[in-house]
Amino acid sequence: MGNLKVLGIESSCDDTAIAVVEDGRTLVSQAAASSAKIHARYGGIVPEVAAREHTMAILPVLEETLERAQIPLAALDAIAVTEGPGLLGALLIGVTFAKALGVGLGIPVVGVHHLEAHLYANALIAPITFPALGLLVSGGHTTLVLWEGHGQLKVLGETRDDAAGEAFDKGARVLGLPYPGGPQIERLARTVEVKSGLRLPLANLGSKSLDFSFSGLKTATREMASTHPTRRAEIALALEDAVVRALVKITERALTQYPVADLYLAGGVTANGALRQAMADLAARRQVRLHLPPMGLCTDNAAMVAALGYYRLGQGHRMKNDDSARTTYSLGD
Ligand code: KG4
Ligand code: ZN
């Protein structure tokens, strides 16, 4: 009996990703296909297109993953799949595929929460140290959690409107940059040599609130762009700076209210260099240990799904035959 090999499957949005992870911490292999380029033409994800592309990609991606791992299907011990939240059609492909494969191979299948899975990108570096604070910053969510153990998460704060990634995506649209906007904004912001005085305002939801609000940034960015049409790079920098400041401010407040020793970041926006640096500064100031996912595992991937699946399997969770995709799925549910 060797290590426990879990196949992870992620299809909640525009990435069809599959990975093999051993014992919830060693990434053996992964492969992925993305339909992002197709959606870019429309300025955002088209759910029907995403679902169709998943159906085309999922088998070749599985084959590629196994080929890279140099193992046959029969070597797998279990399957973990993103159950939700996400796009219905997209999720259904992954969930149905996982269940069918599980029946065919006679191995257990476990469903996982996409956001919780993002946190487990960190488990691929080192075992998680509890209790911790977790900040999830993706295209659809901005959530602060108190993370007390595997499967024990309490939501402390959330965005009341747009997610942090959405603020980047919408701001990018205003500046005429393609989807996904985060990397585009970051790239443009980096071209600024002399920091200007352009500054976007932060939302204020009260001095104790651990919630976020980013929807005001879109309007403010648009106004700034029409006032200063030639200063696009500075506006990109101002947007990045506003999102980062908001995330740091609320995270610092959470550390005061919940003085834990470990802070975990996760989600696509964690790929942002300015955010990583600002959080490192915060961690040094507050003397907490900062944990960042590996750069390649910040955005959607299947390794994180397999890693979380390992722990859920260990706790006895199994997907039943009539379990299906959960488009709205609360964290800690
Ligand atoms: O976690 P993720 O891959 O997918 C969701 O579950 O939403 O996050 C995607 C989000 C997008 O909004 C994208 O613009 C943002 O992450 N993002 C970034 C960067 N890379 C991706 N935002 C800022 N800077 C980046 N470098
Ligand atoms: Zn995600």
Side-chain angles (χ1 to χ4, degrees), residues 10 12-13 114-115 118 138-141 267-268 298-301 304:
E10 159 63 38
S12 65
C13 194
H114 180 78
L115 286 184
H118 267 296
S138 70
H141 299 265
C298 292
T299 50
D300 289 349
N301 65 85
M304 66 186 196

Side-chain angles (χ1 to χ4, degrees), residues 92-242:
L92 278 173
I93 311 292
V95 168
T96 310
F97 187 74
K99 288 202 302 188
L101 197 58
V103 170
L105 296 172
I107 58 177
V109 179
V110 68
V112 308
H113 189 288
H114 180 78
L115 286 184
E116 187 179 3
H118 267 296
L119 285 170
Y120 280 79
N122 290 291
L124 294 155
I125 295 183
I128 310 294
T129 321
F130 300 112
L133 269 181
L135 175 66
L136 294 156
V137 276
S138 70
H141 299 265
T142 303
T143 308
L144 257 172
V145 297
L146 180 62
W147 195 13
E148 295 182 290
H150 296 296
Q152 288 175 264
L153 295 110
K154 196 175 132 207
V155 174
L156 303 178
E158 279 183 291
T159 182
R160 298 205 185 158
D161 38 60
D162 290 351
E166 217 172 342
F168 280 111
D169 295 336
K170 289 184 174 175
R173 255 187 116 158
V174 168
L175 295 176
L177 298 166
Y179 175 88
Q184 301 281 339
I185 293 283
E186 177 167 25
R187 213 166 296 139
L188 187 56
R190 281 227 184 110
T191 64
V192 176
E193 280 164 16
V194 186
K195 253 197 160 179
S196 71
L198 292 189
R199 219 167 145 86
L200 290 163
L202 299 192
N204 184 356
L205 303 175
S207 63
K208 292 219 171 58
S209 173
L210 297 180
D211 282 345
F212 302 88
S213 169
F214 292 106
S215 65
L217 280 179
K218 186 188 164 187
T219 317
T221 305
R222 179 175 291 137
E223 277 166 13
M224 195 178 262
S226 67
T227 316
H228 307 284
T230 59
R231 299 169 70 179
R232 288 169 70 252
E234 289 165 75
I235 296 167
L237 181 61
L239 174 60
E240 181 182 70
D241 182 63

